[in-house]
Amino acid sequence: MSVHPTSPEFKSNAHGALHSPSLQKAMGNVEKGFIEKRRIAAEALPEFEALRDSARDIKNHTLAHLDLYLEAFEKRVLEAGGHVHWAADAAEANAIILDICQKAGARTVTKGKSMISEEIGLNAHLEANGIKPIETDLGEYIIQLRGEAPSHIIAPAIHVNKEEVEADFRRVHTHLDAKRDLTAPTSLLAEARGELRARFLAADVGITGANFLVAETGTSIIVTNEGNGDLTQILPKTHVVVASIEKITPTLNDVAQILRVLGRSATGQEMSVYTTLSTGPKRAGDLDGPENYHVVLLDNGRSAMLGTEFEDMLRCIRCGACMNHCPVYHAIGGHAYGWVYPGPMGAVLTPSLIGVDQGGHLPNASTFCGRCESVCPMRIPLPKMMRHWREREFERHLTARTTRWALRAWAFAATHPKLYGLGTRIATRALSFLGRKKGRFTSLPLAGGWTTWRDMPAPEGSTFRTEWKKRGRK
Amino acid sequence: MTKKPRVGLFVTCLVDMFRPTVGFSAVKLLEDAGCDVFVPDNQTCCGQPAYNNGDKADARRIAEQVIATFEEFDFVVIPSGSCGGMVKTHYADLFEGDAGWSIRAEKLSAKTFELVSFLVDVLGVKAVIAAFEGAITYHDSCSGLRELGIKSQPRKLLESVDGLTISEMKDSDVCCGFGGTFCVKYDEISNKIVSKKTANIRASGAGTLVAGDMGCLLNMAGKLKREGSDIEVRHVAEILAGLATGPAIGEKR
Ligand code: SF4
């Protein structure tokens, strides 16, 4: 069972978000922090733009030979003593992971941050089968306590304010001293650490995602800032990596290049604090590591994107820069998008993965300002792909009937210059006559979407071309 | 003396209907810079509303007409970054797989320019002869900025205007929330975005807001007026041409 989307209710989700003072306060921090940090990091590295090109080229090459690299990866994992499982969809992936957990006799599993696990709804599936998943990334831990989904792909609890975290901790950690001081952010961190320490040691299975899967070596790589991922994958007897197929990268060298744009684009860090490589289970002579190592490779709609106008989206490395720079995301936060992936990348990916009939609002709710594309380290043409979705909707008559009608009428006029000239002359004259006193309208029939919020300036007088001809010019 | 370049002026539908002054300003700037300016009567719209709403077939029909209307000129100049961006960067996409039209589209794109970048980058204009008293703040409209690289050119020419000072707002390069049909389809979100923009405009302390796109200007002017602000809103061409004398956008006549 994957997460049930509320994307069709995007407009009412957005309405709620716009009227939530706590969310609006939290979103203010996104606008301030991430953008400046990325700018400084990008400007400090002279070859940053060239690295973006090469990161794009590496992934394009990989996608063109995806089958070969996946097979090579599988071979290396098997050689290293691990297991590889292929999951066509969320249900298959959940069943495979549950089976691994049950065979390991697991009662609790620790989890590193994984968007794929969110995509397939893994926690709910494990819980329904009597296994307790424990999120160990601080942000994920917080939203798990709150029973929420992530609202950002790298900062899942970005929508939560510090005061709210404090309240949640007091609500859940009832065994701790009620009078403890939790005002400093570090005290919240310390408390979460303390709570998680015992869980790490007790867990039977550790589940992580992967930022990269290396075909050359059969290695899975996670990039984190808290070190929780390391404890998740090293301490339990069994380590399960769940990752989607486009995470494949040919060589470690390629990964090293992409890592140079990943940290900088995401948080402005040159590198994340931890970049952890794991290849197979513990070998003879290793001091630590899991005894069993599994990789679950998820397709869930991705192979169907290959060879289509949406293939470029598979280059995405989930850095979050597009949403960090998106005015729409800033206005409404991540939950309004109604599924797992928010912001511009979500606006392209969501219709691909759950269908445009479900996610159709998302690619439409963009001004096409292009700021996402201008910062995407993988040079993914996000607005162009959102437009492709609009084209598919238009072809399938999913576009609202009034919009269709208005577009067709406008296009008809625009391709009949005489009619267009007459129509615009009349409309302009009428509007300018009606608005002559104030120079603007506070309400206009058929323009409610505009005049609810802003005045509509009136035309100056007659059209430019009328005036031009009056002056005897051609 | 070399022959004057023949420039076809594509005024855009919003300038044609809402702000003829911008059209006349464009003509003046181009003529002052030594161009022969023509305004073909067959011009209508660039096709952007259809294109951005997924109606590619209609966008293509409109583009064919634009190409047929304007391909006879040495240059096509448009006082708008978004319509300029449409013709310059998106037309080729409409004719994929149609060799004949693709070539015509590419040829037209290559000689099409947004007004201010044409003056500075193509004609090498370094200063204008115009006067404007007071501080302005300049909003970088998205398509102009990110599709056409327009950022320094308008500032450079504005600085040459007598009496004018530029007082930069915070986040001048962030979208104003217009987005074509976005502003009515997702009006509540659009309102939030434009409200942040007007807050930055007010905080700049400038008495006049200037930008190069009528869509954004109507949006920001409409919001400023609704908020009761007396900041005036004008298209950059009006100021550069010295024609910023009549009522500003949304002001009474
Ligand atoms: S689309 Fe680009 S910017 Fe957005 S998350 Fe993916 S890689 Fe990062």
Side-chain angles (χ1 to χ4, degrees), chain A residues 132-250:
Chain A
K132 192 169 163 45
I134 297 151
E135 296 290 350
T136 65
D137 170 270
L138 179 61
E140 289 282 348
Y141 180 72
I142 292 168
I143 59 169
Q144 191 180 27
L145 294 185
R146 298 169 63 85
E148 289 178 336
S151 69
H152 188 291
I153 58 174
I154 67 161
I158 194 88
H159 59 285
V160 190
N161 291 297
K162 206 183 98 268
E163 298 69 32
E164 295 170 297
V165 178
E166 181 179 341
D168 289 325
F169 279 17
R170 290 194 190 281
R171 173 174 57 81
V172 178
H173 303 157
T174 44
H175 52 286
L176 298 176
D177 180 5
K179 288 199 219 68
R180 66 195 187 281
D181 182 9
L182 284 176
T183 42
T186 45
S187 60
L188 293 170
L189 186 65
E191 178 160 321
R193 281 233 165 100
E195 288 301 300
L196 285 169
R197 184 70 44 177
R199 310 297 185 93
F200 279 124
L201 294 167
D204 306 294
V205 174
I207 300 174
T208 66
N211 291 86
F212 303 95
L213 301 170
V214 188
E216 178 189 32
T217 55
T219 304
S220 63
I221 300 181
I222 55 169
V223 172
T224 66
N225 277 322
E226 296 170 16
N228 63 303
D230 296 43
L231 296 176
T232 302
Q233 64 184 37
I234 286 172
L235 293 176
K237 276 206 174 114
T238 301
H239 175 200
V240 180
V241 178
V242 54
S244 50
I245 51 175
E246 83 281 9
K247 289 287 174 285
I248 284 280
T249 314

Side-chain angles (χ1 to χ4, degrees), chain A residues 153 313 315-323 345 372 375-378 380 382:
Chain A
I153 58 174
M313 195 60 225
R315 291 203 298 270
C316 175
I317 53 173
R318 308 288 190 266
C319 72
C322 53
M323 58 200 74
M345 57 81 73
C372 49
V375 295
C376 172
M378 306 308 286
I380 298 172
L382 293 152

